[in-house]
Amino acid sequence: MAGEPIITIVGNLTADPELRYVSSGIPVASFTVASTPRTLNKQTQQWEDGEAMFVRCSVWREYGENVANSLTKGTRVVVTGRLQVRSYEHEGQRRTSIEMQVDEIGPSLRYATAQVQRTQRSGGGGGNSGGGGFSGGNNRGGNVAYDSPTGGSQNDPWASGPAGSSFDDAPPF
């Protein structure tokens, strides 16, 4: 639907993403992000954790496969997406759940580093498929050679700068 609010959540994965395939063969990765607010108690000068919020998330197609191959339990992530309300029946009772349909997800680099690897796109494209992959704690994804027009490593598109330049010559930031 148009006009849905887009939200961003920063938190930790409570478990490895679960990859499954719906009856039509389309992959979907599901996972939960735990976001716990922290505030500084000005009287004690100690950080205190607030009430944890658990958000169930889903990401579809190749994008879901990339997530399942890249992220693991405990990884701190930044997730942007749209909340979706679903109603269902459980043991004769009508229930409602709220789930985030993921538009973007990546590891938080505040307290960690990540090695980015492009994934090979298979036809189709559009929406949430393809793009770039990343790997954090594990490296279950595959490597794809990248043809760099400026030379450098075949597998590292950032191995060198624009033609005729060197990162060694760049001023520090």
Side-chain angles (χ1 to χ4, degrees):
M1 286 195 266
E4 294 172 317
I6 295 173
I7 65 167
T8 299
I9 296 175
V10 178
N12 294 42
L13 295 184
T14 61
D16 289 349
E18 176 186 332
L19 183 65
R20 61 184 176 82
Y21 295 84
V22 297
S23 58
S24 62
I26 297 173
V28 59
S30 300
F31 54 92
T32 300
V33 176
S35 181
T36 307
R38 294 190 101 198
T39 55
L40 179 64
N41 182 325
K42 293 185 180 188
Q43 293 176 338
T44 64
Q45 293 299 308
Q46 297 291 317
W47 287 98
E48 296 176 352
D49 288 338
E51 186 81 25
M53 175 176 58
F54 297 90
V55 179
R56 192 73 182 147
C57 302
S58 293
V59 60
W60 294 79
R61 297 181 174 73
E62 290 177 61
Y63 196 2
E65 292 176 321
N66 289 347
V67 167
N69 287 328
S70 301
L71 300 175
T72 57
K73 177 181 178 175
T75 302
R76 187 164 182 82
V77 293
V78 180
V79 186
T80 300
R82 296 159 279 113
L83 292 181
Q84 194 170 57
V85 178
R86 291 186 321 150
S87 295
Y88 60 97
E89 197 167 305
H90 179 72
E91 297 178 359
Q93 293 185 351
R94 193 85 177 141
R95 298 193 177 193
T96 303
S97 70
I98 298 175
E99 184 174 285
M100 179 185 275
Q101 293 299 314
V102 175
D103 290 329
E104 296 289 337
I105 182 171
S108 171
L109 301 181
R110 185 174 207 162
Y111 305 111
T113 61
Q115 181 71 36
V116 178
Q117 297 175 355
R118 293 183 65 97
T119 58
Q120 186 173 12
R121 294 182 75 156
S122 60
N128 288 338
S129 65
F134 47 85
S135 61
N138 71 349
N139 192 8
R140 295 183 281 190
N143 291 332
V144 175
Y146 182 86
D147 294 325
S148 172
T150 59
S153 171
Q154 287 287 318
N155 292 325
D156 187 357
W158 297 280
S160 65
S165 70
S166 167
F167 287 118
D168 296 332
D169 302 32
F173 290 98

